[in-house]
Amino acid sequence: MNEQEIIHILKKQRVDHARPWEAISTEYLTAREFFSLVGIEGRGRDYRQALIYLEIASKRDNSGNVMPDYLKKCFRNGVVRVHVFRSRNERLVGVEYRIPVESLDESYGERVKELVSSRNSRVSDPISRGTLRKLKRISEITHRSVEEILNGWVNREMDDVLGRSGRSSPFGE
């Protein structure tokens, strides 16, 4: 048996043990959403390494001793839970890793709600991913929601613009 045959067998085994695909619900975060919550970008070595840790966690119940601290601290009491679902397109990606929302630490509550609610929202003037990532980081540091931060900035900008023009706010604020 050569290396490619072994890899093929392992991939098939992983897909066979995965749950049947179902649409993502509010009960789970996708791996990409979870990584954005933790601060891992969608590319590079850190992302690939974190995916390997999720794969290990999906296979074993006692994977907590293998997981690095930056991932383990995201889960309640350090107990890592990851569910594996078959992918919609098994040729490209065989499985999808999903993290149950109830297994995450309570400190991520508000940010998880924002992630889940933003899945289906269609914004007419979208914010770039980089800007959104920075806003979420500021939100994490200041313990204020992204909406509160943006409202504060907009109000200051309105005050500044209206102050320079000598007019009062047309919004009655």
Side-chain angles (χ1 to χ4, degrees):
M1 227 180 217
N2 67 18
E3 184 179 347
Q4 290 294 48
E5 290 171 333
I6 293 171
I7 291 172
H8 178 70
I9 289 170
L10 291 174
K11 283 182 180 179
K12 183 169 177 9
Q13 199 175 46
R14 184 174 41 198
V15 171
D16 290 343
H17 292 297
R19 298 172 184 205
W21 186 86
E22 63 184 49
I24 187 75
S25 69
T26 58
E27 298 173 14
Y28 296 101
L29 288 181
T30 64
R32 191 170 296 277
E33 289 170 335
F34 173 70
F35 292 150
S36 74
L37 188 70
V38 177
I40 298 174
E41 293 192 25
R43 294 188 178 122
R45 187 172 78 75
D46 292 340
Y47 179 80
R48 289 189 304 272
Q49 190 176 33
L51 267 178
I52 291 169
Y53 287 126
L54 288 184
E55 182 177 352
I56 291 169
S58 70
K59 292 180 182 177
R60 294 194 261 169
D61 288 336
N62 61 350
S63 61
N65 58 356
V66 176
M67 296 288 276
D69 289 338
Y70 72 93
L71 287 177
K72 196 180 343 180
K73 75 175 183 175
C74 300
F75 294 89
R76 292 182 188 192
N77 304 322
V79 177
V80 181
R81 290 185 47 215
V82 177
H83 297 181
V84 182
F85 288 84
R86 287 189 189 106
S87 176
R88 290 175 87 173
N89 187 346
E90 293 180 12
R91 283 178 274 152
L92 295 177
V93 178
V95 294
E96 296 176 0
Y97 299 104
R98 297 185 187 171
I99 293 79
V101 170
E102 83 255 356
S103 70
L104 294 173
D105 190 58
E106 296 88 15
S107 64
Y108 292 105
E110 190 63 35
R111 292 178 53 213
V112 167
K113 287 178 188 173
E114 287 177 13
L115 279 172
V116 170
S117 68
S118 69
R119 274 188 198 141
N120 297 325
S121 66
R122 298 288 181 240
V123 179
S124 61
D125 190 12
I127 298 173
S128 71
R129 286 184 181 191
T131 302
L132 186 58
R133 191 172 28 251
K134 290 173 187 173
L135 279 170
K136 287 178 181 177
R137 181 70 178 136
I138 292 170
S139 172
E140 183 179 300
I141 292 169
T142 62
H143 303 292
R144 293 172 37 208
S145 71
V146 170
E147 185 178 0
E148 290 172 331
I149 293 168
L150 289 175
N151 284 338
W153 287 343
V154 168
N155 289 337
R156 274 187 297 217
E157 190 67 23
M158 284 296 296
D159 291 344
D160 185 44
V161 169
L162 294 173
R164 279 187 271 149
S165 68
R167 294 190 289 172
S168 62
S169 174
F171 305 109
E173 297 176 352

